Amino acid sequence: MISVIIPCFNEEEAIPLFFAEMEKIKSQTGHSIEYIFVNDGSKDHTLLVMRNLARKYEYVRYLSFSRNFGKEAALYAGLQNAQGDLVTVMDVDLQDPPELLPEMVKMIESSDIDCVGTRRGDRSGEPPIRSFFAKKFYQLINKISDTEMVDGARDYRLMTRQMVTAVLELTEYNRFSKGLFSWVGFKTEYLSFENRERSAGETTWSFWKLFNYSIDGIVNFSDAPLNIASFVGAFSCFVSIIAMIFIVVRAVLYGDPTAGWPSMVSIFLFIGGLQLLCLGIIGKYIGKIFLETKKRPVYIVKETEKDLN
Ligand code: UDP
Ligand code: MG
């Protein structure tokens, strides 16, 4: 059996379109399919649509959160509840084309790979500034983190049960799936496909949300910013020692004319700024530790298909 995990946030229009597409191709996979829709605290009628599907088809299951916990939490909940031998995660907006699934199943069954990932061949249809920052993000994270992240890789992937078990063992609160899937290792191959437009509804990812998400990725998978902070601190210490020696020597040789206040103030401001920056970086990590030590659940389920009668 293949479990299909579908995180949904305000997707009442997209779900029926998605379900129809999936039903069309499902026989080509040669397996039975279990759908797990995750309602991530939608404000529209997403839950109603899920309920109706689950009433009609016994292979449709759903989880409904008590509020919006984010896509990462929805993925985690889906993985925890999936029962299939193969598990896939898919966006509901058809930007992750279901028609790739049969080929992915074939790939995973005909060779010894554990995971088939997908990546977009290009970023057409995306604002150029977003593409630019995305590219820079992947260059940066791959330089400063041991965990490799593939540029353009989507969350859409088909995994073996073994890999799912491994991912579930990472119980951290701050979840950055792209990194977690890569961190557990296993053999992954990528399929490329052309970028698609959303089938219905609108994306909820603004530029700032994506920017913060990328900072999360960096802080969760690299301690390079901390090292940079220490390095910058040590370097400015070194420079000030040289400057002190220079000033003392100059005072001894040439006396002490009270000049150079503007430059002095500039240096104070510069060092003060550096200190705040480094404190900010450290604070970011402490914030993560704080959230992690509270051991709060990643999500709270309010209703599932078992509550239907
Ligand atoms: N999603 C979610 N919770 C959120 C935001 C998004 O479960 O808080 C789901 C959404 O319903 C969709 C998927 O995550 O199935 C991808 O979202 P979207 O299409 O808005 O992102 P994009 O494709 O623009 O990156
Ligand atoms: Mg989308």
Side-chain angles (χ1 to χ4, degrees):
M1 184 168 73
I2 304 176
S3 298
V4 184
I5 298 165
I6 314 111
C8 304
F9 178 54
N10 297 339
E11 304 278 12
E12 58 180 3
E13 291 160 48
I15 293 175
L17 298 173
F18 170 82
F19 189 69
E21 280 303 306
M22 272 304 290
E23 290 291 288
K24 263 190 238 159
I25 60 100
K26 91 178 189 186
S27 61
Q28 296 167 34
T29 61
H31 292 265
S32 58
I33 299 255
E34 166 194 59
Y35 294 87
I36 304 178
F37 288 98
V38 184
N39 174 26
D40 184 14
S42 302
K43 299 261 187 303
D44 63 358
H45 299 304
T46 298
L47 179 58
L48 281 183
V49 178
M50 288 181 186
R51 276 191 198 135
N52 287 337
L53 282 178
R55 279 207 189 94
K56 225 159 142 191
Y57 308 96
E58 82 286 354
Y59 49 85
V60 173
R61 300 170 54 202
Y62 70 89
L63 300 164
S64 184
F65 288 173
S66 58
R67 64 168 169 86
N68 180 255
F69 281 89
K71 185 183 173 187
E72 297 292 339
L75 288 183
Y76 186 56
L79 288 178
Q80 278 190 324
N81 286 278
Q83 290 164 346
D85 315 297
L86 291 174
V87 179
T88 179
V89 288
M90 248 188 246
D91 284 2
V92 71
D93 55 11
L94 293 177
Q95 284 185 313
D96 295 335
E99 60 271 23
L100 286 182
L101 193 61
E103 194 183 340
M104 290 160 79
V105 175
K106 222 178 280 161
M107 279 172 77
I108 219 168
E109 286 183 336
S110 61
S111 58
D112 66 340
I113 54 176
D114 309 280
C115 175
V116 181
T118 59
R119 55 188 300 185
R120 297 193 285 184
D122 59 351
R123 288 183 171 275
S124 59
E126 198 184 53
I129 180 147
R130 186 174 288 193
S131 307
F132 174 79
F133 277 104
K135 222 167 160 180
K136 288 287 163 233
F137 166 73
Y138 283 107
Q139 279 173 3
L140 178 71
I141 188 96
N142 282 320
K143 208 171 267 167
I144 62 178
S145 166
D146 300 333
T147 308
E148 201 204 331
M149 294 187 209
V150 178
D151 187 2
R154 295 192 55 91
D155 288 337
Y156 183 22
R157 56 179 63 232
L158 181 72
M159 293 169 277
T160 58
R161 172 54 43 192
Q162 197 187 13
M163 179 159 168
V164 173
T165 310
V167 172
L168 287 177
E169 266 168 42
L170 308 180
T171 54
E172 58 212 74
Y173 182 79
N174 297 292
R175 303 192 74 79
F176 187 73
S177 287
K178 283 185 205 315
L180 298 179
F181 286 135
S182 161
W183 188 90
V184 294
F186 295 100
K187 226 169 142 187
T188 304
E189 259 172 38
Y190 283 92
L191 260 182
S192 278
F193 68 91
E194 235 168 73
N195 201 15
R196 315 251 161 135
E197 297 280 319
R198 220 173 198 291
S199 63
E202 265 169 45
T203 178
T204 49
W205 292 88
S206 64
F207 181 79
W208 280 113
K209 235 173 134 183
L210 279 173
F211 182 77
N212 280 326
Y213 186 61
S214 64
I215 299 276
D216 270 354
I218 291 171
V219 173
N220 283 329
F221 280 92
S222 167
D223 55 7
L226 287 176
N227 297 337
I228 295 170
S230 331
F231 175 79
V232 170
F235 182 75
S236 56
C237 255
F238 176 74
V239 171
S240 21
I241 289 172
I242 303 266
M244 270 182 333
I245 294 172
F246 170 76
I247 288 164
V248 168
V249 169
R250 192 181 61 173
V252 168
L253 291 184
Y254 302 106
D256 184 18
T258 317
W261 278 108
S263 56
M264 197 77 138
V265 170
S266 322
I267 291 168
F268 280 164
L269 286 179
F270 177 67
I271 306 264
L274 273 188
Q275 284 175 335
L276 285 182
L277 174 72
C278 294
L279 265 183
I281 293 174
I282 294 166
K284 193 84 198 156
Y285 282 86
I286 294 180
K288 294 272 169 198
I289 299 170
F290 180 57
L291 286 175
E292 212 65 68
T293 50
K294 288 193 202 181
K295 293 221 183 308
R296 286 192 180 157
V298 177
Y299 60 89
I300 294 170
V301 173
K302 189 175 163 205
E303 181 188 322
T304 74
E305 80 283 349
K306 296 194 187 79
D307 299 316
L308 288 177
N309 40 33

